[in-house]
């Protein structure tokens, strides 16, 4: 997947996309009638700013928007469609020749892509960014897509790609789930109690 450079926007050169889905029937508790489905999609792509300091990196944020929409669409389809998705999160793992700020380029393209395709997603998309070598693990934080204070949906999805990111790459990740933790029972706001639709409660 290659989106050539355009104007002041760098090329988006994707080496590969990795899609993962798991079905969870229980977590050492009663078996669920329907499994919790948790998934992620990761893109390994060239970091155009690797190995050097560039003051204005925002053009890459705009360039990544089509990739964000494509990744969100693939993951939503894999998990059963927009109506199945209850929670989401995102993250970026930057190769060793990059810098932490390069991961922040994913905030708008990744977060807005999911919210655009998941109608009624009022909650901010939780996020994490780190620098690491190929094969490093990144834990993507998850919470309810309508109200961030729904405690039952606090979760994380672990993502690892053995051969990435290479030093001059970045790994951009979206994650979603179809429900709460398998045996959520620690109180707090419940999904059916969401009333303010302010992204929090």
């Amino acid at each position: 997947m290659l989106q050539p450079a355009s104007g002041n926007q760098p090329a988006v050169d994707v080496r590969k996309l990795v899609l993962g889905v798991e079905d969870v029937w229980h977590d050492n508790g009663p078996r669920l009638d329907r499994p919790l489905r948790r998934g992620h999609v990761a893109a390994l792509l060239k970091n155009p700013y690797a190995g050097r300091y560039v003051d204005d990196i925002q053009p890459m944020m705009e360039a990544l928007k089509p990739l964000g929409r494509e990744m969100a669409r693939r993951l939503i389809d894999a998990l059963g469609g927009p109506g199945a998705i209850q929670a989401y999160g995102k993250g970026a793992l930057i190769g060793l020749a990059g810098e932490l700020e390069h991961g922040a380029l994913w905030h708008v393209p990744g977060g807005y892509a999911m919210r655009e395709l998941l109608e009624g997603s009022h909650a901010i998309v939780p996020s994490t960014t780190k620098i690491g070598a190929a094969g490093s693990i990144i834990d993507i934080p998850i919470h309810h897509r309508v109200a961030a204070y729904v405690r039952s949906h606090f979760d994380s999805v672990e993502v690892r790609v053995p051969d990435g990111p290479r030093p001059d790459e970045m790994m951009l990740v979206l994650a979603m789930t179809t429900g709460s933790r398998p045996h959520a029972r620690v109180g707090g706001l419940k999904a059916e109690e969401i009333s303010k639709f302010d992204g929090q409660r």
Side-chain angles (χ1 to χ4, degrees):
M1 181 182 296
L2 175 64
Q3 180 183 321
S6 174
N8 66 341
Q9 295 178 17
V12 176
D13 182 3
V14 177
R15 178 165 63 88
K16 67 177 176 179
L17 289 173
V18 178
L19 180 68
V21 175
E22 61 182 48
D23 288 336
V24 181
W25 273 273
H26 70 84
D27 187 28
N28 291 326
R31 189 175 184 85
L32 302 175
D33 294 331
R34 296 179 61 184
L36 165 67
R37 183 161 282 184
R38 305 162 83 242
H40 70 270
V41 59
L44 278 297
L45 63 148
K46 281 285 187 184
N47 179 353
Y49 308 120
R52 60 198 178 103
Y53 179 83
V54 176
D55 187 56
D56 182 13
I57 62 174
Q58 291 194 35
M60 186 60 171
M61 186 181 292
E62 189 67 27
L64 287 170
K65 287 182 178 179
L67 176 62
R69 287 190 290 271
E70 172 65 16
M71 291 170 63
R73 183 191 62 78
R74 289 192 186 204
L75 184 54
I76 290 168
D77 288 349
L79 293 176
I85 310 301
Q86 294 188 20
Y88 54 21
K90 66 183 187 299
L93 178 61
I94 306 301
L96 295 177
E99 60 179 282
L100 203 59
E101 191 68 5
H102 299 161
L105 292 168
W106 190 226
H107 286 316
V108 171
Y112 279 80
M114 289 194 291
R115 294 176 71 179
E116 180 182 304
L117 296 176
L118 297 170
E119 187 176 344
S121 295
H122 304 292
I124 191 171
V125 182
S127 183
T128 189
T129 302
K130 63 184 284 188
I131 293 173
S136 294
I137 291 170
I138 185 167
D139 291 319
I140 307 300
I142 298 290
H143 69 209
H144 199 281
R145 68 179 184 84
V146 179
Y149 288 177
V150 176
R151 194 179 298 168
S152 58
H153 287 61
F154 293 168
D155 201 352
S156 65
V157 172
E158 181 181 286
V159 180
R160 176 181 177 271
V161 177
D163 66 344
R166 295 169 182 173
D168 63 346
E169 288 184 332
M170 54 175 70
M171 183 172 85
L172 306 178
V173 184
L174 300 178
M176 304 179 196
T177 73
T178 62
S180 68
R181 298 183 307 278
H183 310 302
R185 57 192 189 280
V186 294
L189 179 69
K190 297 178 180 178
E192 59 269 24
E193 296 172 344
I194 298 171
S195 60
K196 292 190 177 182
F197 298 98
D198 60 357
Q200 299 182 59
R201 296 183 181 278

